[in-house]
Amino acid sequence: IGRDVDDELALVLLSALKRKHILNPIAVITTLSPQRDRAHLARGSMDAMGMPDVPVGIGSCGGVADGVELDIYGADYSRSSPCIFESGMELVYRALQSVPPKSAVLLCIASLSDAASFIREHEELFTSKVKEVVLMGGVVSTELGESLIPDSAYNNNCDISSARFVYKRCQELGVPT
């Protein structure tokens, strides 16, 4: 969120699907430095689209080197809020605890650093609650039955070791990806 409009458009789609009762979003986590600014933008966007009940959490720098902040665009609706969780990981933990088994879809449209960390730290909760993982990235062509390997898509390359881990571990755990 904040670097190009595709993430904002994803929130617009999420809002429409929520209004139609097709999806019930339980959390949005922002990642990539400056992740706090991204959280403010996400919170303002979601409030403007009628999703003030969906919590926003601040994720990690997403593999961006310490001290490096990527440019993000500003918006009048970007705002701080006490409704922004300082720990995106804690928010995901709480959100997954609140849902029935095998009901959550994890949508990753940025770096996979936070997803990898969550799986490593909370694998049992992840496998018991997550029905599938949807990734915006790509894979190297493989033969039928071979493991998926992340390609050079931007989201994969933000933290390629985390991307490799997420693809591989989801396949090992039998979580559709």
Side-chain angles (χ1 to χ4, degrees):
I1 294 176
R3 190 142 184 221
D4 50 38
V5 298
D6 65 333
D7 296 334
E8 290 255 24
L9 292 174
L11 291 178
V12 170
L13 180 59
L14 182 66
S15 173
L17 294 171
K18 183 178 190 282
R19 281 193 312 278
K20 291 181 172 283
H21 304 285
I22 294 171
L23 290 179
N24 180 30
I26 58 174
V28 170
I29 310 302
T30 59
T31 186
L32 292 177
S33 180
Q35 57 272 39
R36 179 175 309 283
D37 293 342
R38 293 176 194 282
H40 293 171
L41 186 58
R43 177 76 278 150
S45 295
M46 293 168 58
D47 289 352
M49 290 183 275
M51 295 190 292
D53 57 322
V54 180
V56 173
I58 300 171
S60 73
C61 65
V64 175
D66 287 341
V68 174
E69 290 194 355
L70 303 173
D71 289 333
I72 67 167
Y73 56 80
D76 291 340
Y77 51 85
S78 178
R79 64 182 187 88
S80 63
S81 169
C83 298
I84 296 174
F85 284 70
E86 287 296 316
S87 171
M89 295 289 277
E90 178 63 25
L91 175 55
V92 172
Y93 184 87
R94 289 182 190 181
L96 287 179
Q97 281 188 314
S98 74
V99 299
K102 295 292 184 189
S103 65
V105 175
L106 180 62
L107 172 63
C108 301
I109 59 173
S111 167
L112 297 178
S113 298
D114 293 324
S117 294
F118 190 85
I119 295 167
R120 284 184 182 106
E121 294 173 24
H122 306 288
E123 187 174 284
E124 186 176 322
L125 180 64
F126 174 81
T127 55
S128 69
K129 300 291 187 155
V130 175
K131 175 174 67 174
E132 68 181 313
V133 177
V134 178
L135 304 166
M136 187 170 116
V139 294
V140 176
S141 290
T142 61
E143 295 295 320
L144 186 63
E146 289 184 11
S147 295
L148 299 175
I149 300 167
D151 67 6
S152 61
Y154 178 80
N155 291 342
N156 290 335
N157 275 336
C158 287
D159 183 348
I160 192 65
S161 64
S162 288
R164 288 182 185 126
F165 175 81
V166 169
Y167 280 86
K168 183 176 191 254
R169 196 69 189 129
C170 284
Q171 291 170 88
E172 292 169 348
L173 296 169
V175 177
T177 305

